[in-house]
């Protein structure tokens, strides 16, 4: 049975494209870079293997690691979203990021986009997946309002969703409950996601001056922020999250 879209419990996005802030051309140019780290926790203790023994297809791909924490031996923290407050939308934003469902995981775990930009959701597995999209309630571990639910029963199935409203959006697969991912819709184009080594780079030009930079990670109820000074178009900003402040599940 083919299910193209599961709409139960869904609430529509309220902001239409016509109401989006004006977009201007913003050059692709490295501006702010840095590293995100986690203190107060052992990376090996945070590594949890998901029990998928009851699912023959998913267990056939080897170990599946809980995506909540991706922490390197040196404390490098992946999947933190870094944003510049007051950022503008870019008229030359590049395409639609892809979130793939592959080997029973969402890849990547987090993407950052600007309002009016779309995300492609794809199923690369030979099993049924779905993508439930919830407008996440900030500061909680899993509260929010469901706004969409796409069924993808077959390999190659794909859906495209445009996000017009800034905010945090949580993705889950109801069939495989360990699967989760995040779409962060920033007010503008100046955003980046930290990689496995904790490093990030915002690759959009900024005029010289002072800016408030924020870092968000799904396991923390509050963002970190700091003020940096951009000189000659560049600045650095490092962030350290304290495990003691993480959401306790």
């Amino acid at each position: 049975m083919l299910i193209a879209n599961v709409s139960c419990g869904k609430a529509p996005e309220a902001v239409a494209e016509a109401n989006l802030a004006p977009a201007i051309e913003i050059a692709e140019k490295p501006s702010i870079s840095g590293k995100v780290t986690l203190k107060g926790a052992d990376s090996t203790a945070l590594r949890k293997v998901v029990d998928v023994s009851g699912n023959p297809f998913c267990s056939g791909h080897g170990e599946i690691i809980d995506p909540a924490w991706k922490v390197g031996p040196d404390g490098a923290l992946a999947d933190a979203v870094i944003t510049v407050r007051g950022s503008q939308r870019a008229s030359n934003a590049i395409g639609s990021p892809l979130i793939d469902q592959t080997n029973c995981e969402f890849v990547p775990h987090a993407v950052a986009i600007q309002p009016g930009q779309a995300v492609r959701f794809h199923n690369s597995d030979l099993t049924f997946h779905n993508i439930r999209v919830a407008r996440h309630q900030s500061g909680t571990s899993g509260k929010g309002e469901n706004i969409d639910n796409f069924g993808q029963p077959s390999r190659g199935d794909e859906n495209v969703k445009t996000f017009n409203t800034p905010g945090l959006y949580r993705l889950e697969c109801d069939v495989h409950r360990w699967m989760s991912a995040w779409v962060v819709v920033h007010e503008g184009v100046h955003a980046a996601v930290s990689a496995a080594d904790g490093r990030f780079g915002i690759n959009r030009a900024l005029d010289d001056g002072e800016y408030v930079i924020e870092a968000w990670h799904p396991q923390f109820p509050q963002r970190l922020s700091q003020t940096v000074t951009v000189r000659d178009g560049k600045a650095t900003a490092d962030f350290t999250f304290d495990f003691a402040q993480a959401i306790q599940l």
Side-chain angles (χ1 to χ4, degrees):
M1 180 175 67
L2 296 180
I3 303 177
N5 186 293
V6 183
S7 59
C8 181
K10 144 176 135 170
E13 261 200 295
V15 179
E17 185 172 358
N19 295 328
L20 294 175
I24 63 172
E25 185 165 338
I26 301 175
E28 293 178 58
K29 181 181 177 182
S31 56
I32 299 178
S33 61
K35 184 174 181 177
V36 184
T37 55
L38 177 71
K39 72 174 184 179
D42 182 356
S43 62
T44 57
L46 293 177
R47 185 181 184 274
K48 298 185 190 287
V49 178
V50 180
D51 181 7
V52 296
S53 57
N55 189 305
F57 177 83
C58 295
S59 61
H61 296 294
E63 284 187 341
I64 294 178
I65 307 302
D66 188 330
W69 294 104
K70 295 178 186 174
V71 185
D74 64 345
L77 182 61
D79 300 322
V81 180
I82 316 302
T83 55
V84 179
R85 194 181 296 174
S87 172
Q88 289 184 278
R89 290 202 319 126
S91 59
N92 55 333
I94 301 172
S96 301
L98 171 69
I99 293 182
D100 199 6
Q101 297 181 102
T102 179
N103 296 337
C104 297
E105 297 183 80
F106 283 116
V107 179
H109 186 61
V111 298
I113 61 173
Q114 66 176 12
Q117 200 168 2
V119 176
R120 292 168 49 217
F121 300 113
H122 186 84
N123 182 5
S124 290
D125 284 340
L126 285 169
T127 192
F128 183 100
H129 287 303
N130 77 294
I131 306 106
R132 178 160 51 84
V133 184
R135 187 181 291 110
H136 182 68
Q137 183 178 327
S138 183
T140 72
S141 61
K143 294 182 180 180
E145 179 185 26
N146 293 335
I147 62 171
D148 246 323
N149 201 330
F150 302 107
Q152 295 188 340
S154 304
R155 173 185 277 180
D157 287 346
E158 187 165 301
N159 297 88
V160 178
K161 177 174 176 59
T162 300
F163 292 82
N164 290 323
T165 307
L168 307 174
Y169 295 84
R170 190 178 67 252
L171 310 180
E172 296 177 351
C173 176
D174 296 308
V175 184
H176 310 100
R177 297 299 299 172
W178 63 85
M179 292 177 61
S180 66
W182 297 87
V183 176
V184 177
V185 185
H186 184 44
E187 61 188 323
V189 76
H190 295 92
V193 181
S194 62
D197 63 359
R199 300 198 175 276
F200 68 90
I202 294 176
N203 294 314
R204 290 288 177 160
L206 283 169
D207 293 333
D208 285 1
E210 288 193 344
Y211 296 88
V212 176
I213 314 300
E214 297 180 321
W216 173 84
H217 188 276
Q219 297 305 313
F220 290 88
Q222 303 293 332
R223 299 173 187 255
L224 301 181
S225 66
Q226 61 178 281
T227 300
V228 300
T229 301
V230 174
R231 290 190 179 95
D232 298 325
K234 292 187 177 181
T236 59
D238 296 331
F239 291 91
T240 300
F241 283 92
D242 186 349
F243 184 73
Q245 303 301 319
I247 297 172
Q248 301 302 313
L249 302 179

PDB file of all heavy atoms in Angstrom, residues 1 3 6 123 125-130 150-154 173 175-176:
ATOM      1  N   MET A   1       0.851  -1.188   0.000  1.00  0.00           N
ATOM      2  CA  MET A   1       0.000   0.000   0.000  1.00  0.00           C
ATOM      3  C   MET A   1       0.882   1.231   0.000  1.00  0.00           C
ATOM      4  O   MET A   1       1.783   1.374   0.816  1.00  0.00           O
ATOM      5  CB  MET A   1      -0.900   0.001   1.233  1.00  0.00           C
ATOM      6  CG  MET A   1      -1.810   1.220   1.294  1.00  0.00           C
ATOM      7  SD  MET A   1      -2.967   1.128   2.667  1.00  0.00           S
ATOM      8  CE  MET A   1      -1.852   1.263   4.038  1.00  0.00           C
ATOM      9  N   ILE A   3       1.551   5.135   0.578  1.00  0.00           N
ATOM     10  CA  ILE A   3       1.029   6.267   1.342  1.00  0.00           C
ATOM     11  C   ILE A   3       1.848   7.477   0.981  1.00  0.00           C
ATOM     12  O   ILE A   3       3.029   7.555   1.290  1.00  0.00           O
ATOM     13  CB  ILE A   3       1.110   6.000   2.857  1.00  0.00           C
ATOM     14  CG1 ILE A   3       0.337   4.715   3.191  1.00  0.00           C
ATOM     15  CG2 ILE A   3       0.577   7.170   3.643  1.00  0.00           C
ATOM     16  CD1 ILE A   3       0.425   4.324   4.639  1.00  0.00           C
ATOM     17  N   VAL A   6       0.839  11.485   5.099  1.00  0.00           N
ATOM     18  CA  VAL A   6       0.015  11.191   6.266  1.00  0.00           C
ATOM     19  C   VAL A   6      -0.264  12.506   6.961  1.00  0.00           C
ATOM     20  O   VAL A   6       0.634  13.151   7.468  1.00  0.00           O
ATOM     21  CB  VAL A   6       0.757  10.222   7.210  1.00  0.00           C
ATOM     22  CG1 VAL A   6      -0.133   9.864   8.391  1.00  0.00           C
ATOM     23  CG2 VAL A   6       1.169   8.961   6.457  1.00  0.00           C
ATOM     24  N   ASN A 123      14.192   8.759   0.807  1.00  0.00           N
ATOM     25  CA  ASN A 123      14.326   7.420   1.396  1.00  0.00           C
ATOM     26  C   ASN A 123      15.260   6.594   0.521  1.00  0.00           C
ATOM     27  O   ASN A 123      14.937   6.272  -0.619  1.00  0.00           O
ATOM     28  CB  ASN A 123      12.959   6.739   1.503  1.00  0.00           C
ATOM     29  CG  ASN A 123      13.046   5.369   2.159  1.00  0.00           C
ATOM     30  OD1 ASN A 123      14.104   4.951   2.627  1.00  0.00           O
ATOM     31  ND2 ASN A 123      11.922   4.658   2.199  1.00  0.00           N
ATOM     32  N   ASP A 125      16.436   3.638   1.715  1.00  0.00           N
ATOM     33  CA  ASP A 125      16.361   2.282   2.263  1.00  0.00           C
ATOM     34  C   ASP A 125      15.280   1.455   1.587  1.00  0.00           C
ATOM     35  O   ASP A 125      14.281   1.983   1.090  1.00  0.00           O
ATOM     36  CB  ASP A 125      16.065   2.343   3.769  1.00  0.00           C
ATOM     37  CG  ASP A 125      17.272   2.735   4.594  1.00  0.00           C
ATOM     38  OD1 ASP A 125      18.402   2.596   4.089  1.00  0.00           O
ATOM     39  OD2 ASP A 125      17.083   3.174   5.740  1.00  0.00           O
ATOM     40  N   LEU A 126      15.474   0.140   1.645  1.00  0.00           N
ATOM     41  CA  LEU A 126      14.462  -0.785   1.143  1.00  0.00           C
ATOM     42  C   LEU A 126      13.488  -1.142   2.262  1.00  0.00           C
ATOM     43  O   LEU A 126      13.230  -2.317   2.549  1.00  0.00           O
ATOM     44  CB  LEU A 126      15.131  -2.049   0.596  1.00  0.00           C
ATOM     45  CG  LEU A 126      15.832  -1.906  -0.763  1.00  0.00           C
ATOM     46  CD1 LEU A 126      16.673  -3.138  -1.064  1.00  0.00           C
ATOM     47  CD2 LEU A 126      14.795  -1.700  -1.867  1.00  0.00           C
ATOM     48  N   THR A 127      12.959  -0.140   2.911  1.00  0.00           N
ATOM     49  CA  THR A 127      11.974  -0.332   3.965  1.00  0.00           C
ATOM     50  C   THR A 127      11.131   0.923   4.090  1.00  0.00           C
ATOM     51  O   THR A 127      11.502   1.987   3.594  1.00  0.00           O
ATOM     52  CB  THR A 127      12.661  -0.657   5.315  1.00  0.00           C
ATOM     53  OG1 THR A 127      11.675  -1.113   6.252  1.00  0.00           O
ATOM     54  CG2 THR A 127      13.364   0.565   5.896  1.00  0.00           C
ATOM     55  N   PHE A 128       9.993   0.787   4.747  1.00  0.00           N
ATOM     56  CA  PHE A 128       9.081   1.920   4.927  1.00  0.00           C
ATOM     57  C   PHE A 128       9.650   2.881   5.968  1.00  0.00           C
ATOM     58  O   PHE A 128      10.051   2.478   7.057  1.00  0.00           O
ATOM     59  CB  PHE A 128       7.707   1.417   5.380  1.00  0.00           C
ATOM     60  CG  PHE A 128       6.661   2.497   5.517  1.00  0.00           C
ATOM     61  CD1 PHE A 128       5.728   2.705   4.516  1.00  0.00           C
ATOM     62  CD2 PHE A 128       6.613   3.320   6.639  1.00  0.00           C
ATOM     63  CE1 PHE A 128       4.759   3.699   4.644  1.00  0.00           C
ATOM     64  CE2 PHE A 128       5.664   4.310   6.774  1.00  0.00           C
ATOM     65  CZ  PHE A 128       4.730   4.498   5.769  1.00  0.00           C
ATOM     66  N   HIS A 129       9.684   4.162   5.620  1.00  0.00           N
ATOM     67  CA  HIS A 129       9.994   5.227   6.556  1.00  0.00           C
ATOM     68  C   HIS A 129       8.902   6.288   6.472  1.00  0.00           C
ATOM     69  O   HIS A 129       8.135   6.334   5.506  1.00  0.00           O
ATOM     70  CB  HIS A 129      11.328   5.903   6.229  1.00  0.00           C
ATOM     71  CG  HIS A 129      12.539   5.094   6.556  1.00  0.00           C
ATOM     72  ND1 HIS A 129      12.810   4.618   7.809  1.00  0.00           N
ATOM     73  CD2 HIS A 129      13.574   4.691   5.763  1.00  0.00           C
ATOM     74  CE1 HIS A 129      13.955   3.955   7.790  1.00  0.00           C
ATOM     75  NE2 HIS A 129      14.438   3.982   6.573  1.00  0.00           N
ATOM     76  N   ASN A 130       8.848   7.140   7.470  1.00  0.00           N
ATOM     77  CA  ASN A 130       8.050   8.349   7.353  1.00  0.00           C
ATOM     78  C   ASN A 130       8.812   9.491   8.004  1.00  0.00           C
ATOM     79  O   ASN A 130       9.755   9.272   8.776  1.00  0.00           O
ATOM     80  CB  ASN A 130       6.661   8.202   7.989  1.00  0.00           C
ATOM     81  CG  ASN A 130       6.694   8.281   9.507  1.00  0.00           C
ATOM     82  OD1 ASN A 130       7.256   7.411  10.161  1.00  0.00           O
ATOM     83  ND2 ASN A 130       6.084   9.324  10.064  1.00  0.00           N
ATOM     84  N   PHE A 150       5.140  12.864   6.187  1.00  0.00           N
ATOM     85  CA  PHE A 150       5.304  12.284   4.860  1.00  0.00           C
ATOM     86  C   PHE A 150       5.601  10.797   4.974  1.00  0.00           C
ATOM     87  O   PHE A 150       6.538  10.400   5.661  1.00  0.00           O
ATOM     88  CB  PHE A 150       6.458  12.956   4.102  1.00  0.00           C
ATOM     89  CG  PHE A 150       6.311  14.438   3.942  1.00  0.00           C
ATOM     90  CD1 PHE A 150       7.105  15.309   4.672  1.00  0.00           C
ATOM     91  CD2 PHE A 150       5.378  14.970   3.067  1.00  0.00           C
ATOM     92  CE1 PHE A 150       6.982  16.681   4.529  1.00  0.00           C
ATOM     93  CE2 PHE A 150       5.234  16.344   2.916  1.00  0.00           C
ATOM     94  CZ  PHE A 150       6.030  17.197   3.643  1.00  0.00           C
ATOM     95  N   GLY A 151       4.800   9.973   4.300  1.00  0.00           N
ATOM     96  CA  GLY A 151       5.087   8.553   4.221  1.00  0.00           C
ATOM     97  C   GLY A 151       5.959   8.262   3.014  1.00  0.00           C
ATOM     98  O   GLY A 151       5.695   8.745   1.913  1.00  0.00           O
ATOM     99  N   GLN A 152       7.013   7.476   3.215  1.00  0.00           N
ATOM    100  CA  GLN A 152       7.924   7.094   2.132  1.00  0.00           C
ATOM    101  C   GLN A 152       8.121   5.581   2.182  1.00  0.00           C
ATOM    102  O   GLN A 152       9.065   5.073   2.784  1.00  0.00           O
ATOM    103  CB  GLN A 152       9.250   7.836   2.265  1.00  0.00           C
ATOM    104  CG  GLN A 152       9.108   9.344   2.075  1.00  0.00           C
ATOM    105  CD  GLN A 152      10.438  10.071   2.019  1.00  0.00           C
ATOM    106  OE1 GLN A 152      11.463   9.572   2.460  1.00  0.00           O
ATOM    107  NE2 GLN A 152      10.424  11.284   1.483  1.00  0.00           N
ATOM    108  N   PRO A 153       7.216   4.833   1.559  1.00  0.00           N
ATOM    109  CA  PRO A 153       7.245   3.374   1.676  1.00  0.00           C
ATOM    110  C   PRO A 153       8.319   2.682   0.859  1.00  0.00           C
ATOM    111  O   PRO A 153       8.639   1.520   1.132  1.00  0.00           O
ATOM    112  CB  PRO A 153       5.854   2.960   1.200  1.00  0.00           C
ATOM    113  CG  PRO A 153       5.410   4.072   0.311  1.00  0.00           C
ATOM    114  CD  PRO A 153       6.003   5.319   0.875  1.00  0.00           C
ATOM    115  N   SER A 154       8.886   3.369  -0.147  1.00  0.00           N
ATOM    116  CA  SER A 154       9.789   2.686  -1.069  1.00  0.00           C
ATOM    117  C   SER A 154      11.103   3.434  -1.233  1.00  0.00           C
ATOM    118  O   SER A 154      11.160   4.664  -1.081  1.00  0.00           O
ATOM    119  CB  SER A 154       9.132   2.549  -2.453  1.00  0.00           C
ATOM    120  OG  SER A 154       7.894   1.884  -2.356  1.00  0.00           O
ATOM    121  N   CYS A 173      10.876   9.554  12.739  1.00  0.00           N
ATOM    122  CA  CYS A 173      10.273   8.452  11.991  1.00  0.00           C
ATOM    123  C   CYS A 173       9.462   7.636  12.980  1.00  0.00           C
ATOM    124  O   CYS A 173      10.017   7.084  13.941  1.00  0.00           O
ATOM    125  CB  CYS A 173      11.351   7.590  11.324  1.00  0.00           C
ATOM    126  SG  CYS A 173      10.683   6.138  10.470  1.00  0.00           S
ATOM    127  N   VAL A 175       8.044   4.848  12.505  1.00  0.00           N
ATOM    128  CA  VAL A 175       8.278   3.420  12.336  1.00  0.00           C
ATOM    129  C   VAL A 175       9.526   2.990  13.100  1.00  0.00           C
ATOM    130  O   VAL A 175       9.564   1.911  13.698  1.00  0.00           O
ATOM    131  CB  VAL A 175       8.421   3.067  10.834  1.00  0.00           C
ATOM    132  CG1 VAL A 175       8.579   1.563  10.644  1.00  0.00           C
ATOM    133  CG2 VAL A 175       7.215   3.577  10.051  1.00  0.00           C
ATOM    134  N   HIS A 176      10.540   3.848  13.078  1.00  0.00           N
ATOM    135  CA  HIS A 176      11.818   3.561  13.744  1.00  0.00           C
ATOM    136  C   HIS A 176      12.066   4.698  14.729  1.00  0.00           C
ATOM    137  O   HIS A 176      12.604   5.740  14.358  1.00  0.00           O
ATOM    138  CB  HIS A 176      12.934   3.440  12.703  1.00  0.00           C
ATOM    139  CG  HIS A 176      12.601   2.511  11.578  1.00  0.00           C
ATOM    140  ND1 HIS A 176      12.155   2.965  10.338  1.00  0.00           N
ATOM    141  CD2 HIS A 176      12.609   1.159  11.509  1.00  0.00           C
ATOM    142  CE1 HIS A 176      11.923   1.922   9.550  1.00  0.00           C
ATOM    143  NE2 HIS A 176      12.183   0.824  10.241  1.00  0.00           N
TER     144      HIS A 176
END
